[in-house]
Amino acid sequence: MFQHDWGAQPMYVPPAFHVDDLAALHGTMREARLANLVTATTEGLLATPLPLFLVPEEGAYGTLYGHVARANTQWKLPPTGDDMALFMGPDAYVSPSWYATKQEHHKVVPTWNYITVHAYGAVEFFEDADRLLEVVTRLTNLHEQSQAKPWAVMEAPEAFVRAQLRGIVGLRLPITRLEGKRKMSQNRSVQDRAGVAAGLVASQRASDRYVATMIPVG
């Protein structure tokens, strides 16, 4: 566990769903694969979905790296506060009909189970070609490793790669604070949790069946 003093948290997190274990937070961020980078500017909120990779040992809470299209105005507009990277983990709809307590009093409503992490900090954008190549290479290697025949950046002609790099801008986000939320019916009774797990297991959605494995049924 790690200590923090962040004051008021922008994300609403009831105590039962609060996550502050750094390893668990980093795990959710890695598994999410795609994040949404959100920046508040004088022209309004800007958001871009991006694959990011985490360097956990860089800084107190780790550092994120990625890149945006050069044509994306998000990197050009000065932020008015912290930037935020939003990572969504597994999620599933929960029907009130799955609760055992429905049969007792019918005082139940639908809800949603999910896991999310919000990472905050000041994004640093950079245009150096060598740094960009390193970021692109690390991102590629990360997501190609599960392929039977992983593709590598070096397989493309060098001149082609350098031309592609001119169309993007790198980003570095040193994380200054993290918020984590894991809502998996842990605030319900043992009987209700068992009902939720059974309902999700019976779903035709593979993602629902995966969430079922995360429900604490003991």
Side-chain angles (χ1 to χ4, degrees), residues 118-130:
H118 294 182
Y120 299 85
V123 173
E124 305 163 3
F125 292 103
F126 58 88
E127 302 177 68
D128 179 77
D130 290 335

Side-chain angles (χ1 to χ4, degrees), residues 13-31:
V13 186
F17 307 138
H18 179 70
V19 180
D20 66 357
D21 179 77
L22 186 57
L25 294 168
H26 281 178
T28 296
M29 293 162 70
R30 289 191 185 94
E31 291 174 10

